[in-house]
């Protein structure tokens, strides 16, 4: 056959067979990326790498294009934190969370408000300003929310200003 052997002849000659690629090179690239993503899911020690790879692999398997699944926010997630426990205790629930770069956290005023979320300027990554991630004002109504996206890896400590003395502190790790 012109351009090399195909089919059974290729298998006998030890050449790789990519029957999909013969008709659709873009689909072949997507299948190769899917394979790479699944290898990352299996082999990576990083929760964030595994989660992003799994989301991209699922997108490719569902028929989305590589351009869609490679967008930075494709695998982003939002973690939820309650301001005040259901029993009225002055705590963040949960008080420690881990997210990936590009993820968001939504804090919801739950009980015993008003509350806010203020980051400790001495306990945030270098290059991040307290003003850029802390709340202005207070959440007064139950169900009111504050959401922030985090793009810088590191450890963040935060507190509720009105209830800091009562020990209302939280910790965020961005991997």
């Amino acid at each position: 056959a012109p351009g090399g052997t195909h089919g059974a002849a290729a298998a006998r000659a030890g050449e790789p067979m990519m029957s999909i690629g013969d008709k659709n090179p873009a689909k072949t690239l997507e299948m190769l990326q899917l394979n790479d993503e699944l290898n990352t899911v299996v082999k990576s020690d990083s929760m964030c790498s595994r989660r992003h790879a799994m989301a991209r692999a699922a997108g490719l398997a569902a028929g989305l294009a590589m351009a869609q699944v490679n967008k930075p926010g494709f695998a982003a997630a939002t973690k939820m934190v309650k301001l005040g426990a259901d029993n009225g205790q002055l705590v963040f629930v949960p008080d420690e969370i881990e997210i990936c770069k590009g993820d968001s956290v939504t804090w919801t005023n739950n009980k015993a408000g008003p509350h806010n979320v203020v980051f400790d300027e001495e306990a945030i990554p270098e290059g991040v300003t307290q003003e850029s991630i802390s709340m202005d004002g207070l959440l007064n109504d139950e169900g009111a929310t504050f959401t922030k996206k985090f793009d810088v890896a590191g450890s963040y400590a935060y507190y509720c200003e009105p209830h800091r003395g009562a020990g209302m502190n939280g910790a965020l790790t961005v991997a």
Side-chain angles (χ1 to χ4, degrees):
T5 57
H6 294 283
R12 285 191 299 273
E15 294 178 17
M17 287 180 42
M18 292 186 153
S19 60
I20 296 172
D22 292 347
K23 295 180 181 166
N24 188 342
K27 193 65 170 171
T28 298
L29 289 175
E30 289 173 1
M31 296 310 291
L32 289 170
Q33 182 175 354
L34 174 62
N35 188 58
D36 288 345
E37 301 298 356
L38 292 174
N39 281 330
T40 299
V41 170
V42 172
K43 296 177 181 177
S44 178
D45 291 332
S46 164
M47 176 267 300
C48 294
S49 294
R50 287 192 313 269
R51 189 186 82 202
H52 288 129
M54 181 60 80
R56 289 190 301 266
L60 289 169
L64 297 177
M66 280 195 309
Q68 289 174 292
V69 300
N70 285 330
K71 289 181 180 176
F74 182 75
T78 300
K79 291 272 182 125
M80 307 299 285
V81 176
K82 290 181 182 179
L83 297 160
D86 290 343
N87 66 5
Q89 190 177 7
L90 297 172
V91 294
F92 292 100
V93 181
D95 62 352
E96 294 182 12
I97 56 173
E98 182 177 342
I99 63 171
C100 303
K101 286 191 321 185
D103 287 352
S104 298
V105 177
T106 295
W107 288 269
T108 302
N109 191 10
N110 186 44
K111 298 285 184 190
H115 297 292
N116 66 2
V117 178
V118 178
F119 284 84
D120 184 341
E121 64 186 337
E122 302 297 321
I124 56 177
E126 187 174 326
V128 177
T129 62
Q130 178 190 34
E131 299 79 26
S132 69
I133 57 175
S134 295
M135 279 186 65
D136 291 329
L138 296 168
L139 296 175
N140 292 304
D141 298 328
E142 284 188 17
T145 62
F146 169 69
T147 300
K148 186 55 72 177
K149 179 180 173 187
F150 293 86
D151 293 315
V152 178
S155 296
Y156 297 72
Y158 61 91
Y159 55 89
C160 172
E161 201 165 35
H163 303 116
R164 189 175 194 185
M168 193 168 176
N169 301 299
L172 167 66
T173 302
V174 180

